[in-house]
Amino acid sequence: MLRDKLFAYHKWASQEILTHIEGLGEEIYTKEGDSSFPSIKETVSHVITVEKLWLLRMTGIKKPAAEQFHVDTVGEAKQAFMLLHAEMELYFSSLNEEQWQKFMKFTNLRGDSFEETREEMLFTFINHASYHRGQIVSLLRQFGKEGILTDYIYFPKKNR
């Protein structure tokens, strides 16, 4: 199924970029630059927070509170993603096709109302994370460091 492949890609890309950052040294993780968020750490915290919101929406909570994830080190970020993605996988495995296609009503943090399928929600948060991975690579380049390619085309074929 396409959504399974995309989620597997998303998990891979999330860990891949953090492993790359880990290899560059912890100081890069908290260094401030020019982006939507002042640091890689703040960007990663935002992505994890938003992914948890999407999971809660998918479970039927119409207006979940944003649980801020504090990931002070790259290791903490890797662990937080791993745990959240395991929680997501467990939930996703409980859904049948009809449940994936069921429309869910929810309100975003701005108060805007939406109605989307769980499948569309999944694609939304994967796309959101891809956007922010691009920002992380931009921050790395601002700091004079090498970026990393995490586009789907680079996702190892053995994992597809």
Side-chain angles (χ1 to χ4, degrees):
M1 254 279 116
L2 179 59
R3 67 178 162 254
D4 296 330
K5 289 179 183 180
L6 287 176
F7 189 65
Y9 154 73
H10 172 66
K11 291 188 319 178
W12 168 83
S14 298
Q15 291 297 323
E16 193 75 6
I17 198 158
L18 288 170
T19 298
H20 178 71
I21 292 163
E22 196 171 44
L24 297 174
E26 200 68 37
E27 66 281 354
I28 288 296
Y29 184 65
T30 56
K31 186 173 182 173
E32 293 199 2
D34 187 22
S35 191
S36 295
F37 296 93
S39 68
I40 293 170
K41 173 186 163 184
E42 296 301 319
T43 305
V44 169
S45 175
H46 167 75
V47 172
I48 296 171
T49 296
V50 169
E51 283 191 28
K52 180 67 175 197
L53 277 173
W54 280 109
L55 175 61
L56 294 172
R57 290 172 183 147
M58 292 171 91
T59 65
I61 299 172
K62 293 183 182 182
K63 193 173 181 179
E67 174 189 341
Q68 291 298 316
F69 280 80
H70 300 285
V71 286
D72 293 329
T73 67
V74 178
E76 288 177 8
K78 289 172 81 172
Q79 182 73 9
F81 269 121
M82 190 174 62
L83 292 172
L84 179 57
H85 291 161
E87 183 181 358
M88 289 177 159
E89 280 185 312
L90 185 62
Y91 175 69
F92 295 163
S93 70
S94 75
L95 299 174
N96 62 33
E97 189 60 30
E98 183 179 318
Q99 291 167 316
W100 274 108
Q101 301 309 323
K102 179 182 177 186
F103 280 88
M104 310 287 293
K105 293 182 180 184
F106 64 92
T107 304
N108 70 8
L109 295 176
R110 291 185 179 134
D112 301 324
S113 295
F114 293 91
E115 187 173 11
E116 301 291 339
T117 66
R118 286 182 175 98
E119 187 170 75
E120 290 168 325
M121 291 180 190
L122 175 74
F123 294 157
T124 298
F125 81 72
I126 290 173
N127 183 60
H128 174 262
S130 293
Y131 172 79
H132 286 299
R133 279 191 295 273
Q135 288 184 320
I136 289 170
V137 169
S138 178
L139 282 168
L140 289 173
R141 290 182 180 142
Q142 285 177 41
F143 305 151
K145 301 295 183 183
E146 186 82 21
I148 184 171
L149 299 171
T150 58
D151 291 341
Y152 184 81
I153 196 75
Y154 295 101
F155 179 44
K157 291 190 186 295
K158 67 180 187 235
N159 292 322
R160 292 189 194 178

